[in-house]
Each structure stands twice: as C-alpha cells, then as structure tokens.
Amino acid sequence: MNSSVVQFLILFACSISYACATTTYRMCVPHHIMDACKEVASKSSSDVQFECVAGRDRMECLDKVLNRQADFLAADPEDMYIAFNLKNEDFSIFSELRTREELGAEFRYEGIILTRKNNGINSMADLRGKKSCHTGFGRNVGYKIPITRLKKNGVLKISPDPTLSSVEKELKALSEFFTASCIVGKYSADSEVNHNLKQKYPNLCALCEDPAKCDYPDKFSGYDGSIRCLVDNGGDIAFTKVIYVRRFFGLPIGNNPATTVALADPDDYEYLCEDGSRRPVTGTACTWAKRPWQGFMSNADANSNVAQLQSSLLNWYTNGLNNVDKAVASKLWITDKYSVVPKTDLAFPGDHLISANYKDVIERDGSTSQKIRLCVKSEAKSDIEMRKCGILKQAAYSRDIRPEFYCVESNDCIQTVHESNADAVVLHPNDFFRAHDNELKKIMKEVIDPESVYVVVADKNINSDVLKKMNVKFDKSDMRAVDVALTFNRARNIETDIEDIPSASNSQIEIVHSSRLSDEKYLDKQLICPDFTTKDLSEANTCNFDGRYTRGIFVRNSLGGTELESIVHGFKSLSDQFGHGGNLENVFELFGEFEPGAKNVIFTDDAKMLENDDDVNVLSKT
C-alpha cells in the first residue's frame, strides 16, 4: 500500500477515536539531546502528548524501553540488532524514517553489483580475477556486504592465519580474489599500520584516482564514484546502491521522473544477481543485501494501540519540522529530507534484519577467533564494571569493531593479565608501578578534555602562611581530586601519603572541578596557581594544579606483532566511535558518568579520547 495512503488511514482512524487524546508516550533519548527533545515536545499541539525520558545513551534507552521506563526510541539497524539479542519479541519496529525521494523503497540501502553486458561473468566464481570498484573501506554497500555475501557463496576464502589481524585477513582475501580494485579509506587508525597495509596490498588501490594516497577524496570512491570507476577506469564490476545507478544513468527514481542526464548508456550495463543471472539497469534490481531504514522501536505494551502511537509520532515529527529551529530538530533526525512512514505490519528486529540479509552483515567477523579479553574489577558489593563492559561489548560488536571484546572479571586484573587469562586492563596511575613489576606495559592512555580541570580555590583574604599549611577540603572518593591534593601538598613541601591524606571539611582551601566554579558558593573565591599567585575564577585553564593523571591500557610485555596491533586497533576504534565528540557517542558513552553517582567506571569520566602511549617500557620507580 502507498505510504501516503497508510498515513491518511492511520490519522483518520485516530481522529475518530477518543483514545488518541488520552495517552502520553514516553520517548527515550540520549541525555546529550534531551534539551532538543523537550524543545520539540514544547512546540507540539495539544493533542500530541509526548514525554522525553533521558537515557545515558541509546544503549540505556534500549534498556529503559525493555523495562517499561520508556515506550519507544529512535534506532539504527545496529540498535535493532542489539534489541534482537536482548529480547527480540518484546521489541517492534512500528515506523520508519525514509527519504522523501524514496518513500516507497522498502530498505535504505540495496547493495548491488553493476557490470557490463557480455563480459563473461555468469556466476560468483567468475568474479575471481576481475577488477572491482568499491565505495570505500569498511562501508556497508562497498565493503561489508560484498565480503559477507561472497563468503556466504563460498567463493571468497578468508585466511585462518593467526599472525594476521582480522582486518588484514579480509584485505588479503580481497587482494587475492580481485586483480585490481579501488578501496579507499583508512585501513587502520594507526597511520603507520595503514601505510604498511596499503604497501603490502597495492592492487586494492590500483584503480583509484590517486593509488599512492588511496584515501578520500577520490573521484572513483563513494556510491557514484564506484560507478565511474567501472565506466571510465577499467573496472569490471562496481559495488554500489540502486538509487545512484538510476541517477548515473538518468533513470526515474520511484514515482519521480528522472532529474539527471545519463552519464553512460544504460543499455550497456546490467545488474549481476547472486545466482549468476542478470537484470537490465532500467528495471528492478536484484540486491545482495539491504540496510534497513532508521526507525522507531517500541515495546509490546506500547503497541497495544499502535495506530495511536504511529499517529502521535507523525504529528510530533511534523510539529518539530515546522515549529522548531532546524539545527535543534536535526538532533532528533527531524529534517526536510526525511518523512515518517508507519509500517503496515509491525516487525520484530530479528525478522526485519534477517529478511534484509543484514544480520549476516553485522555478524561478519573476519573469520577470526581472536577476542580482546578486557579484565574488569570484581567488587563484593557491585558488578558495575562488568555491566559497563558488557554494554561496551554489545555496542562495539554491533558497530563492526573487531576483534570482538570479551569481559573477564577478576579481583586482581594485573595478575590476571600477567597470567595470560586476560589481554588488557585499564589502570589508574596508582597501579602503574605494580603493573610494571608484573611485566605489563602501557600501550594507550586517556586524553582529558582540556576544558575539564581541577583547581585549588581559596578565600580572597587568606593569609599566605595559612595557605601554605592548612589542610585542604576535597572529595577523597575522586581519584583525580586526590591526585591534585597530593600535587598541591608537594608544592607546599608537605609530604602526604595517598592512603591517609587528610581532607578538612571546614577548610578555606578547596579542590574542585572547574565545572563547579559557577556555583554561588565560589563567587567570592580566587584561584591559587602553581607558583602561588592568584587569578580570577575565569582563568582555570591556565591556573590549576591538575597534573592530568590519566588511566592507561596495559597488556603483557610479551605481547607483540599482530595480536598487539589488533588490541590497539580495537581500543582506538572504541575511542573514535564512542569517545567524546565521536560519531556514535549518543549510541554508547565510553566516557562520562555510567550511572548516577557512579564515577570513573573503567575509564575516567572527563576523558575525551584514547591515544597511543609514548612511554611504553620507560616506567621506573626513579
């Protein structure tokens, strides 16, 4: 049924039902965009009753919907995969976000193979030895889907060589299968590893505009670039998606007339199907796998009157589009580019992904059994580190971070890693020397947000003798505050031990986080600098005792080669995706308060990212 007809029927059914104006639906959103959600809700009409519920991130929102603390959330297909593994039949996709250009398309991406007519390719096996054009490294249509489906068809063999990283196994397989390709992008977050892999497998860049660089921008990369690679640069096949084929060849899209001029004769090209058959590009494509649209996912209770929920969401979205600042609305995926399309049949996440062959794409593992066994602290009264690690593992796997993370709980993670029962542990600086004594080495470290510092504040009329002798007030449960207290005492020639450093509740001197300086209680205070000069509270960035003591990731000294490279790659990928400012920070917040009152769980709350450590093997007690 046409989507616009569906929308009309839903709105009509709801308009004659008294129930439509009586129910409030709770939408869970990551806390970073809570203000945007409230802004949209405040501009909604009186018959649209929405309540915004804050979650730490989308991972917690899934949990809140599951536990009836919220009714629904906006979700990527990868979130649907996590829901499938949580409790598949308690989640349903009830509406989708589709581009206005493709309102009638069942899926967001339809991965296809484009090829020339009469080129002798009549089966998947015939692709061996051909020249291939890809959208880019790690991308869905041009990389993940081809690898997944070629493996599924038994023609692409991934090496089981344990000396190769999971990424290199895939690159090696593609390099041996195709004689020349264009696969641009960063093969590793480490620039040296990226360079070395491209040097080792140069044929993967041979068809690119700039083979030596093999990175964006490149006119033979991306959805349309891969088609140009086939048409203009000697490729035999191109991996791309349907809408770009239709644009390239000047064909209509959906019910819309053609809006582009053909850049090549469509009669000279065909779609190659998995069974070896072909279809004209002027007709319906045969797709290898599809990426579902982003959508809205609810629990079973919220679906008791799904027409009402769908209608309310339509109105909420329309109000946001028309009445809210566009930059604010876009944080909630509300843009002129998209429309909400109610589903005629609710779909369980698992069924939805399997029907698109997208579950296989997410579960693509590079044919490696390697896992990063992350050791976390076991505590008598709390399993909080284990719970965060479990969520980290789910989020990372769904977003194609490989090797897969695996959580190991221990009372003594240093010993557990030393004995090879785990691969990595995140340690506080206080544990660095013991880690060194147990033959562990630091491979990565946290980078603290430059806007997040601890300062020493004091009364403006404080006596200099008092300043240099008085005990300090600080939070002894906050290790960064403890570190600053130790640093401040050393500067005053006061020797204190980390175990028994005193905190004076009524002191005129206090150690606080810079974010608290706007509190009224500090308005009459001043900052104390390391040289014991004073500055205004606005100068925290240049007047603080924050030594930036950061946690580090440790592994065994004996670990090296590909295994070490894979661990670094895994943690760097975590940081890039889920770190502060990362593309997927709203999906899983790697840094920041994990639960109310639970600070610095595994990582430091104020960390911004992880970076390679320059001090490997130089730790000493001197």
Side-chain angles (χ1 to χ4, degrees):
M1 187 181 296
N2 183 279
S3 60
S4 60
V5 175
V6 173
Q7 292 184 31
F8 172 77
L9 291 176
I10 287 172
L11 288 169
F12 177 75
C14 204
S15 68
I16 62 174
S17 169
Y18 291 109
C20 286
T22 61
T23 302
T24 297
Y25 289 104
R26 300 164 299 170
M27 178 180 185
C28 188
V29 298
H31 73 93
H32 288 108
I33 58 174
M34 185 65 173
D35 288 345
C37 187
K38 288 180 177 179
E39 174 73 7
V40 174
S42 70
K43 298 294 176 65
S44 296
S45 56
S46 59
D47 60 335
V48 180
Q49 299 182 25
F50 267 75
E51 177 186 340
C52 300
V53 175
R56 179 193 60 248
D57 45 38
R58 222 179 290 161
M59 295 296 292
E60 188 179 39
C61 279
L62 283 167
D63 190 62
K64 284 181 178 288
V65 171
L66 180 63
N67 290 297
R68 280 28 181 195
Q69 295 169 288
D71 299 309
F72 74 99
L73 77 157
D76 287 322
E78 290 76 14
D79 303 316
M80 298 171 192
Y81 176 79
I82 294 169
F84 158 68
N85 283 287
L86 287 175
K87 196 173 182 181
N88 181 51
E89 294 187 7
D90 197 29
F91 287 97
S92 295
I93 298 102
F94 65 89
S95 290
E96 292 176 326
L97 269 179
R98 299 185 183 181
T99 59
R100 299 189 178 208
E101 190 176 29
E102 302 172 274
L103 282 177
E106 187 178 1
F107 295 100
R108 177 69 179 91
Y109 295 162
E110 293 182 287
I112 56 91
I113 293 184
L114 183 68
T115 187
R116 289 187 180 85
K117 282 186 178 179
N118 306 316
N119 63 358
I121 301 175
N122 298 300
S123 69
M124 295 301 100
D126 290 339
L127 294 176
R128 179 176 293 278
K130 297 300 187 287
K131 297 177 181 179
S132 60
C133 302
H134 304 250
T135 55
F137 173 76
R139 294 177 63 168
N140 280 303
V141 166
Y143 188 84
K144 297 178 187 178
I145 289 176
I147 288 176
T148 303
R149 302 311 297 172
L150 289 172
K151 281 173 57 182
K152 196 89 171 178
N153 279 276
V155 297
L156 185 70
K157 306 296 183 183
I158 307 292
S159 170
D161 186 349
T163 67
L164 301 180
S165 68
S166 55
V167 169
E168 185 171 356
K169 287 178 183 180
E170 292 181 341
L171 295 174
K172 183 175 187 291
L174 291 170
S175 177
E176 292 174 348
F177 190 74
F178 295 116
T179 56
S181 303
C182 179
I183 309 177
V184 305
K186 289 179 171 55
Y187 295 175
S188 171
D190 184 285
S191 58
E192 184 176 353
V193 174
N194 175 58
H195 175 76
N196 290 340
L197 287 172
K198 289 176 180 176
Q199 291 290 305
K200 192 171 182 179
Y201 305 106
N203 64 320
L204 297 181
C205 301
L207 295 184
C208 297
E209 178 185 13
D210 186 346
K213 183 180 73 170
C214 196
D215 206 345
Y216 303 102
D218 190 293
K219 70 179 182 181
F220 297 127
S221 69
Y223 299 120
D224 53 352
S226 64
I227 303 174
R228 281 196 295 270
C229 172
L230 166 66
V231 173
D232 299 329
N233 207 38
D236 296 311
I237 57 170
F239 297 101
T240 186
K241 64 179 186 176
V242 173
I243 187 172
Y244 282 85
V245 173
R246 300 195 71 79
R247 285 176 181 166
F248 192 91
F249 292 106
L251 301 171
I253 297 172
N255 296 322
N256 302 313
T259 58
T260 57
V261 176
L263 300 177
D265 188 347
D267 292 333
D268 293 338
Y269 296 87
E270 295 176 314
Y271 293 117
L272 177 65
C273 308
E274 276 194 85
D275 62 3
S277 63
R278 291 162 175 263
R279 292 184 185 179
V281 296
T282 52
T284 303
C286 50
T287 61
W288 287 43
K290 305 103 170 171
R291 175 177 167 83
W293 295 100
Q294 293 169 316
F296 296 89
M297 193 161 54
S298 59
N299 58 44
D301 290 355
N303 289 332
S304 58
N305 190 345
V306 69
Q308 181 189 72
L309 175 57
Q310 291 172 322
S311 172
S312 296
L313 180 65
L314 277 170
N315 286 330
W316 181 83
Y317 193 91
T318 302
N319 283 324
L321 194 62
N322 296 332
N323 302 317
V324 178
D325 177 81
K326 292 188 182 300
V328 173
S330 67
K331 295 178 182 179
L332 297 160
W333 298 348
I334 300 175
T335 74
D336 292 325
K337 182 180 178 181
Y338 291 98
S339 290
V340 173
V341 178
K343 291 185 70 66
T344 52
D345 296 309
L346 300 183
F348 294 142
D351 297 343
H352 194 51
L353 296 171
I354 290 169
S355 70
N357 285 334
Y358 200 70
K359 178 175 174 289
D360 289 343
V361 174
I362 292 175
E363 293 177 344
R364 183 187 112 263
D365 62 1
S367 294
T368 176
S369 59
Q370 181 188 356
K371 288 181 170 57
I372 300 174
R373 298 173 299 166
L374 175 60
C375 189
V376 294
K377 184 168 54 180
S378 173
E379 296 181 356
K381 296 182 179 180
S382 174
D383 63 346
I384 193 166
E385 287 203 358
M386 191 65 173
R387 283 188 281 117
K388 181 172 181 178
C389 185
I391 295 170
L392 177 156
K393 174 183 181 294
Q394 289 178 310
Y397 187 78
S398 73
R399 260 62 187 194
D400 197 40
I401 293 177
R402 303 291 187 272
E404 180 182 0
F405 279 84
Y406 181 79
C407 304
V408 176
E409 194 172 24
S410 172
N411 291 319
D412 187 347
C413 279
I414 291 176
Q415 191 65 22
T416 300
V417 174
H418 171 74
E419 294 174 351
S420 301
N421 292 319
D423 302 310
V425 58
V426 183
L427 296 177
H428 185 274
N430 294 336
D431 296 317
F432 286 6
F433 289 129
R434 181 168 172 258
H436 174 65
D437 289 343
N438 281 270
E439 301 177 318
L440 305 190
K441 63 183 177 183
K442 181 154 62 100
I443 58 169
M444 301 190 80
K445 62 185 177 184
E446 296 176 330
V447 176
I448 299 296
D449 190 324
E451 299 299 317
S452 171
V453 293
Y454 279 71
V455 296
V456 177
V457 296
D459 293 343
K460 288 184 177 179
N461 60 354
I462 191 169
N463 180 283
S464 61
D465 287 338
V466 173
L467 178 63
K468 294 191 176 183
K469 294 178 181 178
M470 178 177 279
N471 285 337
V472 183
K473 178 183 177 181
F474 62 97
D475 182 357
K476 294 191 72 169
S477 68
D478 187 332
M479 290 309 301
R480 281 186 68 200
V482 173
D483 290 332
V484 173
L486 288 169
T487 303
F488 182 58
N489 279 352
R490 288 192 204 104
R492 301 188 298 169
N493 295 315
I494 299 174
E495 290 301 323
T496 47
D497 186 84
I498 190 171
E499 299 298 333
D500 57 12
I501 180 172
S503 174
S505 59
N506 295 319
S507 177
Q508 298 177 49
I509 312 167
E510 187 176 356
I511 294 169
V512 299
H513 190 270
S514 56
S515 63
R516 295 177 55 199
L517 292 178
S518 59
D519 292 357
E520 187 175 351
K521 63 184 287 189
Y522 298 115
L523 294 181
D524 293 327
K525 303 284 186 179
Q526 61 186 349
L527 298 178
I528 307 300
C529 304
D531 61 359
F532 289 96
T533 59
T534 61
K535 285 189 177 182
D536 185 80
L537 298 181
S538 62
E539 301 293 326
N541 282 348
T542 59
C543 177
N544 62 76
F545 279 84
D546 197 330
R548 306 292 171 118
Y549 294 93
T550 63
R551 300 185 185 199
I553 299 169
F554 282 75
V555 299
R556 292 181 300 284
N557 280 339
S558 58
L559 209 62
T562 300
E563 193 173 4
L564 178 60
E565 177 190 317
S566 293
I567 291 173
V568 171
H569 174 79
F571 278 102
K572 189 66 170 65
S573 298
L574 274 182
S575 174
D576 290 347
Q577 299 276 29
F578 305 123
H580 183 56
N583 292 334
L584 298 175
E585 187 179 12
N586 280 346
V587 172
F588 171 63
E589 199 171 64
L590 186 64
F591 309 115
E593 193 173 78
F594 179 62
E595 292 177 0
K599 297 182 180 298
N600 306 314
V601 179
I602 303 181
F603 297 100
T604 305
D605 289 349
D606 291 328
K608 180 179 182 181
M609 59 184 288
L610 300 172
E611 68 177 12
N612 291 357
D613 187 68
D614 298 326
D615 301 323
V616 175
N617 290 329
V618 299
L619 284 172
S620 69
K621 292 187 176 181
T622 59

